[in-house]
Amino acid sequence: MTDCNCIFCKIAAGEIPSRTIRETEEFRVVLDVAPATKGHALILPKNHYRNLLDLPQEMAQKAMVLAKETALSMKESLGCDGINLVQNNEEAAGQTVFHFHLHVIPRYEKDEQKIVWTPREFSREEMDEIADKLKR
Ligand code: AMP
Ligand code: ZN
C-alpha cells in the first residue's frame, strides 16, 4: 500500500537514500533533511497513510513506542536536554508532506528553537460547549 508519487513512500522503502537510524518491518526512522536541531528525526510507516486521521490504531500505537525508543536513544547518544514530539495533520495544521510522519525533535538548552502558539481566550460557556461536543 504505497503511493508511487509520494517521496516518503520512496524513502521508507529505501528507494531514495536517507540517513536511517532505526528500521522495523513496518517503519523506517530517518533524520529530517532540514533539521530543527541536531538529531531531528522522522518516524515513517512503510505503508502510505495520509496522516493521523487515516493511520490504523495499531500503527499509531507502534509509532508512539518507536518515538519513545528514539527519544531515549537521543538522550543517551546526543545528550539532549529535552524532546518534542510534533505531528502535523492537513495543511491547516502545517502538514507539508502528506504521508504520516511523527517528528522527534531533541532539544538543547539554548538551542534557540521555539515550538509555540499564542494562547486564546474562550468564555466559560464556549469552553463548556466545546467540552460537551468532544466528550465521549
Ligand atoms: P511537515 O511540515 O510536518 O509535513 O514536515 C515535513 C518534514 O519533512 C519537514 O521537516 C522537512 O524538512 C522534511 N523532509 C522533506 N523532504 C525530506 C526528505 N527528502 N528527507 C527527509 N526529510 C524530509
Ligand atoms: Zn507515502
Side-chain angles (χ1 to χ4, degrees):
M1 201 166 62
T2 55
D3 175 342
C4 57
N5 291 316
C6 171
I7 185 161
F8 281 4
C9 276
K10 291 183 179 133
I11 290 173
E15 290 165 15
I16 290 180
S18 66
R19 291 195 171 81
T20 297
I21 59 171
R22 204 174 197 94
E23 189 178 357
T24 67
E25 208 173 301
E26 292 164 301
F27 290 89
R28 183 185 293 270
V29 184
V30 303
L31 289 188
D32 194 296
V33 78
T37 63
K38 184 175 75 180
H40 179 172
L42 300 173
I43 294 179
L44 310 175
K46 291 183 178 176
N47 282 341
H48 182 85
Y49 306 103
R50 179 177 171 86
N51 57 39
L52 186 68
L53 303 175
D54 73 343
L55 188 71
Q57 203 74 359
E58 191 195 320
M59 292 295 282
Q61 290 168 352
K62 289 180 179 171
M64 189 52 78
V65 171
L66 264 179
K68 181 181 162 70
E69 290 170 1
T70 304
L72 287 172
S73 109
M74 286 169 171
K75 176 100 183 120
E76 191 183 310
S77 306
L78 299 176
C80 60
D81 303 305
I83 290 132
N84 289 119
L85 296 185
V86 176
Q87 204 278 305
N88 301 323
N89 301 285
E90 301 298 342
E91 214 173 310
Q95 185 175 9
T96 59
V97 180
F98 293 89
H99 173 125
F100 173 89
H101 52 283
L102 175 54
H103 297 258
V104 187
I105 307 175
R107 299 301 304 273
Y108 306 89
E109 300 292 348
K110 303 194 179 94
D111 66 22
E112 296 188 348
Q113 286 289 6
K114 284 192 173 62
I115 294 169
V116 291
W117 58 84
T118 308
R120 301 251 192 269
E121 278 197 29
F122 292 88
S123 68
R124 282 177 61 148
E125 293 74 24
E126 286 171 320
M127 291 294 275
D128 287 344
E129 192 187 329
I130 295 163
D132 282 345
K133 279 188 177 161
L134 291 173
K135 218 170 268 174
R136 290 290 176 268

